[in-house]
Amino acid sequence: MRTLFLLGLLLNITVAVSGRQKVYDFNARCQQAYDAIMQLRLDAGAALLAEEKRVHPDNLVPYFLDNYADFFTLFFNEDPAEYAQKKYLKADRLSRMEGGPTNSPYYLYTQAAIRFQWGMVRLKFNEKWDAVWEIRKAYQLLKENQKKFPQFLPNNMLLGSMQTVFGTIPEGYRWISNTLGMKGTIRDGMQMVQQVIDSNTEVARLFREEACYYYCYLKLFVENKPEDVWTFIQKYKLDTKNNYLFALMVANIAMNNQKATLGIKVLTERNDSVQFEEIPYVYYVLGQLKLCRQDEDANVYLQKFIDRFKGKFYLKEGLQRLSWYYYLRGNMDAANKYRNLILTRGNTETDADKQALKDAKSGRWPNQLLLRARLLSDGGYFPEALKLLVNKKAADFPLMEEKIEYAYRLGRIYDEMGQDDNAITMYEATVKTGANRTEHFAARAALQMGYIYEKRNDKAKAKQCYQSCLDMKGHDYKNSLDQRAKAGIQRLTGG
C-alpha cells in the first residue's frame, strides 16, 4: 500500500513538472530582444533570447521572436541554402505557440504573425500557393482573435496592413485575392494601423515601431502621400542612425520618391558597426541612388550587391543599372558584359526585373540623353534634368518610342517641379501617341495626371485618368501601375 502511495505521489509530481503551464510573457528581456531584432541587431537579440530561454524555459515569447530574426534574414537576403535549413522551423514554432494558454490574446496572434511572416518569405522563394495559404490562415486567425480580444491592438497592425493592400491587388495577381476571399479598403486599413501608433497602451507602445514601418510603406505606395510620409518620419523621430531597419526603409522610400540626396545621406551616416546584420540589399539601394546622382562610385555599390546577394529579386534590375553606368561612360565592353548577365541571372517576379530582361533581349541601348534625364529626374535633380530636355523637341528623336519617352520625361519633370499645366500638356501628348504601344509611358502619364487632378480635387477627371491607366493593355509595368490606379479610384470613392 505504501509503495502504491509513493508511486502515485511520484506520478503526480512528474505530471506536474512535465505539464507546467506555458506562458506568453513579453517581459523586459524579451522587449529588449524584440527591439534589437527590429533594429537588425540580430546577434544581440539572439543572446537575449537564449538567456530568457535558460531563465524562463516556459516562456513562449522567445520562440516567437526567433521567427522575426529568421524572417528578416530570409526576406532581405533570399539565401536558398539558409531557407532550406530553416523552413522546417515554422512547424515547431507553431506547435509551441499552440501549447500556450488559449485565454491569452497572444495565443492566436503569435500563430498568425508566424504564418504571415512565412507567407512573405515564401513569396520570395517563388512558393506562391504556399504563400497564399499562409497569408489566408494568418488573416483568419487575426479575425478570430479580433473577435475574442477587440482591445488587443497588435491585431489591428497586421489586419490593417493586409486590408489596405488587398483592395489594390492588380489584375495580374487577382488570383491571390480570389483565393484568399478577402477584401479591404484603404481608409479602414490605414485607420487600424494608425490606432496602434496613436494608442498609449503598453502593448501598443511595444509594437509601435513595427506599426510605423508598415504605415510608412502603405502611406507612400498605396495612399500616394509622400509628403505625409516625410512629415510622419520627422514627427515620430524615427531613428535612422541606430535602427538599420528604419535606415533601409527611409532610403528605399527616398529612392522611390525622387530624394536621392536624402537617401544617400541616411545610408552613409547610419551606424554601420558589426553589431548589425549584413544586408546586401543596402548596396542595391545605395548604388541606385548614386547612379541617379551620377556619382563616380555608383558602380562600386551595385557590384557589391551583385557579388554578395544570393537571391533573385531585383538582380536583373541591379545588373541593368550597372550596365547603364558603363554605357553612359562609353565603356561598352563592361556595359555588354553586365547586360548579358541579365539573361541568365535573377528572376522576373517584379515589373522592374521584367523590364530589365526585355531591354536586354531587345539588343538596343536607350538614348543617352533621355537616360541621363531619367536618372536625374528619378533622383530629384529636376533643374539639371530639365536643362537636358527643355530645348529639345520630339522631332530631335528618330524613334517613335524615344519621341513618346521625351514627352513623358518632360511632363514628369514639370510635374515634380510643380508646373502642373505644362505637365498635363506633355502627359496628354504621351497618352495620345502611346496608348496602344507596349511601352509604359502612356499608362504612367495617365496615372500621373490622375494624381494632379486628385490634388486639385477634380474627382471626375482624376477617376477618368486612373481608369484610362487601367484600360491600357499589354504594356510594361502593367501590374504595378494598375495597383496604383486602383488605389487612386479607391481613394476617390471613399474606399
Side-chain angles (χ1 to χ4, degrees):
M1 192 72 173
R2 185 179 178 186
T3 302
L4 289 174
F5 173 77
L6 290 174
L7 283 173
L9 181 61
L10 181 60
L11 181 61
N12 287 336
I13 292 172
T14 303
V15 170
V17 171
S18 63
R20 286 168 61 176
Q21 180 65 55
K22 301 295 184 181
V23 296
Y24 304 100
D25 183 10
F26 234 120
N27 57 36
R29 187 184 290 110
C30 288
Q31 290 180 33
Q32 291 171 12
Y34 173 61
D35 289 343
I37 292 168
M38 289 299 296
Q39 295 165 9
L40 298 183
R41 293 188 297 113
L42 301 188
D43 288 343
L48 287 164
L49 295 180
E51 178 66 8
E52 178 64 17
K53 292 172 186 176
R54 185 186 69 80
V55 176
H56 298 125
D58 299 316
N59 189 2
L60 296 174
V61 170
Y63 300 94
F64 171 56
L65 295 178
D66 280 340
N67 209 74
Y68 272 81
D70 288 342
F71 165 74
F72 283 127
T73 54
L74 291 170
F75 186 80
F76 281 122
N77 295 347
E78 300 176 39
D79 185 342
E82 185 179 7
Y83 179 58
Q85 179 185 6
K86 291 185 173 180
K87 66 187 295 186
Y88 303 103
L89 294 172
K90 185 202 80 170
D92 175 69
R93 288 170 186 159
L94 286 174
S95 178
R96 287 180 184 274
M97 297 307 112
E98 290 168 359
T102 58
N103 62 349
S104 168
Y106 283 106
Y107 177 75
L108 293 177
Y109 180 78
T110 54
Q111 295 176 55
I114 288 170
R115 288 188 179 276
F116 174 74
Q117 290 170 0
W118 280 101
M120 298 303 294
V121 167
R122 283 181 153 163
L123 282 175
K124 284 295 189 89
F125 289 91
N126 203 30
E127 297 178 1
K128 293 178 183 176
W129 281 108
D130 288 332
V132 165
W133 289 112
E134 294 285 13
I135 294 171
R136 180 176 184 268
K137 184 62 176 175
Y139 182 83
Q140 291 173 332
L141 289 168
L142 288 166
K143 293 293 285 185
E144 184 181 350
N145 206 39
Q146 190 179 48
K147 289 179 183 177
K148 290 183 175 181
F149 304 99
Q151 303 304 316
F152 187 67
L153 288 178
N155 289 327
N156 294 23
M157 176 178 70
L158 290 184
L159 270 177
S161 298
M162 289 183 186
Q163 290 183 4
T164 301
V165 172
F166 287 145
T168 65
I169 292 177
E171 198 68 36
Y173 291 94
R174 185 62 57 80
W175 63 273
I176 295 177
S177 58
N178 290 341
T179 303
L180 293 172
M182 291 183 289
K183 294 183 180 180
T185 67
I186 297 170
R187 181 186 59 202
D188 292 345
M190 291 300 290
Q191 285 177 354
M192 291 172 71
V193 181
Q194 185 77 56
Q195 283 175 353
V196 185
I197 296 168
D198 291 343
S199 173
N200 203 35
T201 62
E202 183 178 354
V203 71
R205 291 198 304 271
L206 174 61
F207 286 92
R208 179 170 291 151
E209 290 197 345
E210 185 176 350
C212 288
Y213 184 79
Y214 297 132
Y215 185 86
C216 287
Y217 276 117
L218 295 170
K219 179 67 72 172
L220 178 65
F221 291 109
V222 178
E223 285 203 304
N224 189 46
K225 295 182 178 178
E227 295 311 313
D228 287 358
V229 176
W230 301 118
T231 300
F232 179 89
I233 290 169
Q234 292 171 351
K235 176 183 177 181
Y236 287 91
K237 298 180 172 61
L238 301 190
D239 182 6
T240 58
K241 185 172 180 62
N242 297 303
N243 186 320
Y244 191 8
L245 187 64
F246 278 163
L248 271 174
M249 178 191 76
V250 172
N252 192 32
I253 290 173
M255 180 177 70
N256 286 279
N257 192 226
Q258 294 84 40
K259 292 186 182 294
T261 297
L262 173 62
I264 293 168
K265 184 176 187 291
V266 166
L267 291 182
T268 54
E269 292 183 358
R270 76 173 183 88
N271 181 350
D272 63 351
S273 75
V274 294
Q275 66 178 308
F276 296 97
E277 188 70 12
E278 170 74 5
I279 305 289
Y281 178 75
V282 72
Y283 302 121
Y284 161 84
V285 176
L286 190 53
Q288 288 250 43
L289 294 168
K290 282 179 163 284
L291 182 64
C292 288
R293 198 167 70 177
Q294 307 196 8
D295 290 0
E296 285 294 325
D297 63 345
N299 64 317
V300 173
Y301 299 96
L302 291 168
Q303 188 70 58
K304 280 184 178 181
F305 170 68
I306 290 160
D307 290 344
R308 300 185 187 187
F309 185 60
K310 296 180 180 179
K312 295 183 180 295
F313 278 67
Y314 312 116
L315 194 54
K316 290 185 186 296
E317 186 187 15
L319 288 164
Q320 180 194 54
R321 296 307 195 266
L322 193 53
S323 73
W324 285 354
Y325 172 89
Y326 290 110
Y327 168 63
L328 290 173
R329 283 160 178 75
N331 186 344
M332 293 309 297
D333 287 340
N336 282 307
K337 170 189 171 183
Y338 290 107
R339 171 174 263 199
N340 288 335
L341 287 174
I342 296 171
L343 302 175
T344 57
R345 297 190 62 183
N347 63 23
T348 54
E349 292 300 311
T350 70
D351 281 344
D353 285 331
K354 286 177 186 174
Q355 188 62 37
L357 180 61
K358 180 180 177 181
D359 290 348
K361 286 182 173 179
S362 75
R364 298 192 303 270
W365 287 95
N367 180 284
Q368 282 207 7
L369 182 70
L370 292 173
L371 180 57
R372 289 186 188 278
R374 171 190 175 169
L375 292 171
L376 287 167
S377 178
D378 286 350
Y381 307 108
F382 306 118
E384 294 87 341
L386 184 60
K387 284 181 182 178
L388 295 178
L389 299 182
V390 70
N391 292 320
K392 297 291 182 179
K393 52 186 181 296
D396 294 327
F397 300 93
L399 302 176
M400 178 56 71
E401 57 262 35
E402 292 178 353
K403 297 178 190 294
I404 297 169
E405 182 179 359
Y406 158 76
Y408 167 74
R409 296 284 171 218
L410 192 53
R412 191 69 190 275
I413 293 165
Y414 284 135
D415 189 350
E416 297 295 342
M417 295 181 75
Q419 300 181 32
D420 290 353
D421 290 336
N422 287 339
I424 289 172
T425 298
M426 301 310 297
Y427 285 151
E428 286 177 340
T430 305
V431 171
K432 182 178 180 180
T433 54
N436 296 315
R437 293 179 60 89
T438 58
E439 297 89 10
H440 74 289
F441 303 122
R444 186 60 191 262
L447 179 72
Q448 293 298 135
M449 279 195 290
Y451 291 156
I452 293 174
Y453 286 121
E454 185 178 356
K455 181 176 63 177
R456 291 178 172 181
N457 204 32
D458 190 336
K459 294 185 177 181
K461 282 190 176 180
K463 186 176 181 181
Q464 182 182 354
C465 291
Y466 291 140
Q467 190 60 51
S468 175
C469 175
L470 289 170
D471 290 342
M472 295 184 209
K473 308 296 182 185
H475 59 78
D476 303 326
Y477 298 96
K478 173 70 175 168
N479 288 322
S480 56
L481 292 177
D482 278 7
Q483 186 172 23
R484 294 188 181 195
K486 281 194 69 177
I489 292 173
Q490 276 215 22
R491 288 193 302 272
L492 293 170
T493 55

